[in-house]
Amino acid sequence: MPIVATTPPAPEHRQRTEQACVDAIAALQRRVLEAVALGGPLVEVMDSLCRQVETLAPGVLCTVIEIDANGCLQPVAGPSMPAAYSAALVGVPIGPSAGSCGTAAWRRKPVEVQDIANDPLWRDHKELALQFGLAACWSNPIFIKGEDRVGMTFALYYREVRAVEPFHRSLAEACVQLCQVALTHEYSRRQIERLAYFDGVTGLPNRTLFNDWARQALQAAEVVNGAAPETGAITLLLLDLDRFKTINDSLGHAVGDQVLAGLAKRVAGVLKPGDLLARLGGDEFVVLLPGRDKPEALLLAAAVHAVLVDPMQVGSNDLRLSVSIGLSSFPADAADVSSLLKSADMAMYEAKRNGRNCTRAFAQAMNEDLDSKLRIEVALRRAIAASVLTLHYQPKLHLGDGHLVGVEALLRWNDPLLGPMPPDVFIPVAEECGLILALDAWVLGAACRQLGDWQRRGLAVPSMAVNVSPLRFKQDDVAGQVAGLLAQHELAPHSLTLEVTERLMLEDDDHARDQMTRLDALGVRLSLDDFGTGYSSLSYLKRLPVAELKLDKSFVRDLETDADDRALAAAVLAIGRALSLAVVAEGVETEGQRLALQQAGCEVAQGYLFSRPLAARAFEDWLLLRPPSPPTP
């Protein structure tokens, strides 16, 4: 046979072929980058990339596999791969002999296997590959830019044993770069989504995502004639970590974050599929329970309390945690997400008021109470701004000769719309809404101004007693204001008495203790109001500069008929004598009560027997016109 000489391709033809490859790769890059720029989903972009590669390289099967946070394979694209093969790869861990892709991700460098049937890297997976006619594979790791971590692999498969040809290498190198761009863009998008919708401390959905979920759940609930059937019931639990501020302040925010993460993990452990747990912010968490009624929600709340019984180990600290839980349900308590949260919030604060570490369900009375408080707050702000508040003054008399020892200033408010408002109603509202500091400061200023006026006009009013809120002692400069008022109105320090409650003494706040010490140094007297009605700890009477005890009217009311009340009153008087403290009895209304107190050794009292609280002008008239004091028995 004649020998046929083969002629090598002409340089011009070879150049045209190489240029066609370059043009094809450039066109591929443009199309993929355009899809990434337009924000296409990663799955769609990678699927398009694989299809274009397979068009440019007939006979090649192309795959893109993501490596999840646990180091396992998660197929993303493989349009020509058998679906059963891709499904079998889901969750396979990467490793030193995990096929081409798993090994490339583990080695962090490309892996080429020319014969899958006989290569040890495929020992555990070759049966799967051979079953679907896969004979060779070349896989490249794709790093997440800026994280130095393999996020995906890009692989070319062949159906025959062979090496990778040069054009395929050039094509794959270009695809690796494109995949890295797409992957980096995807991870940036996921990070933005995490920041927008997930809490950075616990990893839970945040308020924004919770609101979306809750709105969808409420829309999906079937409502019939204004009432949801059992399948449409939705219950919400609002959890607030008790005393979390103490943990943050004493152990630091890093420990606080660990506590929040640990709490989230424990609560998540008692939830069922379909229950939605989110962190609203701070130390507040919320659980949405679609299809769960109130009894089921109460059982879950009990499980949450139970799972927190065991201490939480955070570093070297064994912390005992508890939560206060408020419960509300749709549609019985609210018709939308905002109202559902509001109702649960009211119930949660009711749990706080009931001692914490408990669950309370929303009741309509709570909403009515909140509305009432809001009306009072609005009216009180208006009253303070318009200066329509007044002070009344109740005399304090010596039980021996009846002479005036002093007066107590009592705040009075008669609103044109709400009518007369008792202090025990509006003072707690003022404390809750932050008005108490301004209110207290006004009362103290007005009382000192009135006492100065009386003394300049020669009226025999020896002293003025003024109630001061514990919150003001803990947050404000009471001593500074008092020093200024004494100088402004030319008052002797001993003519002013500030009445405080046992609550302030028991909390032992550093700022409050400093204020009391400064007041005592000025010569201002401190009186302990409602003594014996709370959780008394007599040690503070020795530690703190108290000059006077107020015997509460609850001990005085039944003095004539109740031996126990007489014994309690005698005990308070004995404490006063032992510690050289004056004792003032409140609420004296009958002559019998006065005689009983006097016989027990009480020297000073106030109450309706002597005078009701009076406006300034009425008190002046009382002072000038009152009958002579009864003779001492």
Side-chain angles (χ1 to χ4, degrees), residues 113-392:
V113 173
Q114 298 182 11
D115 184 1
I116 288 176
N118 298 299
D119 195 298
L121 296 183
W122 279 85
R123 183 186 60 237
D124 298 330
H125 307 284
K126 66 179 181 180
E127 296 301 328
L128 177 66
L130 297 176
Q131 175 186 349
F132 293 103
L134 304 176
C137 179
W138 180 45
S139 182
N140 293 266
I142 299 166
F143 291 85
I144 303 169
K145 192 173 183 180
E147 293 193 22
D148 191 34
R149 181 171 77 83
V150 177
M152 289 194 309
T153 60
F154 176 83
L156 301 179
Y157 283 82
Y158 299 95
R159 293 191 180 279
E160 66 274 357
V161 175
R162 58 168 294 177
V164 181
E165 65 180 66
F167 172 59
H168 293 174
R169 291 187 185 277
S170 299
L171 188 60
E173 288 169 0
C175 288
V176 166
Q177 295 176 356
L178 292 171
C179 287
Q180 185 178 49
V181 171
L183 181 62
T184 301
H185 184 273
E186 174 68 11
Y187 269 67
S188 297
R189 185 194 64 77
R190 292 179 187 178
Q191 180 63 18
I192 292 171
E193 183 176 283
R194 279 194 295 270
L195 293 173
Y197 296 108
F198 291 88
D199 173 51
V201 174
T202 64
L204 294 175
N206 62 13
R207 181 185 292 270
T208 301
L209 185 53
F210 168 77
N211 284 336
D212 288 344
W213 280 355
R215 276 193 293 270
Q216 293 174 26
L218 264 61
Q219 289 171 0
E222 295 179 7
V223 180
V224 179
N225 296 325
E230 290 184 3
T231 56
I234 296 176
T235 313
L236 183 145
L237 297 178
L238 184 64
L239 287 62
D240 186 271
L241 185 56
D242 296 329
R243 300 182 180 87
F244 180 63
K245 185 177 184 299
T246 301
I247 295 175
N248 263 344
D249 291 347
S250 60
L251 301 178
H253 289 274
V255 171
D257 286 350
Q258 293 180 61
V259 168
L260 293 173
L263 174 66
K265 185 175 181 180
R266 290 196 184 187
V267 173
V270 300
L271 301 182
K272 293 181 179 179
D275 298 343
L276 307 175
L277 172 63
R279 182 187 176 201
L280 297 183
D283 56 357
E284 280 194 344
F285 296 80
V286 63
V287 182
L288 190 72
L289 306 171
R292 309 273 290 274
D293 58 17
K294 188 173 291 186
E296 290 178 291
L298 287 171
L299 288 175
L300 175 60
V304 170
H305 289 303
V307 82
L308 295 177
V309 168
D310 292 336
M312 182 180 292
Q313 181 76 32
V314 182
S316 59
N317 304 290
D318 278 335
L319 303 177
R320 293 191 175 275
L321 306 179
S322 67
V323 292
S324 298
I325 303 178
L327 183 155
S328 64
S329 60
F330 166 87
D333 300 328
D336 55 67
V337 177
S338 178
S339 300
L340 200 61
L341 280 169
K342 176 185 172 184
S343 298
D345 191 58
M346 283 187 277
M348 184 270 292
Y349 275 104
E350 187 66 22
K352 292 280 188 185
R353 283 191 290 269
N354 281 270
R356 301 185 175 92
N357 192 27
C358 61
T359 299
R360 291 293 181 269
F362 173 78
Q364 189 57 39
M366 296 178 187
N367 200 32
E368 294 169 358
D369 182 56
L370 183 66
D371 290 343
S372 174
K373 287 181 179 179
L374 183 59
R375 287 194 298 270
I376 292 172
E377 178 187 343
V378 171
L380 185 56
R381 290 185 186 277
R382 186 171 57 241
I384 294 174
S387 299
V388 296
L389 299 169
T390 59
L391 292 182
H392 284 199

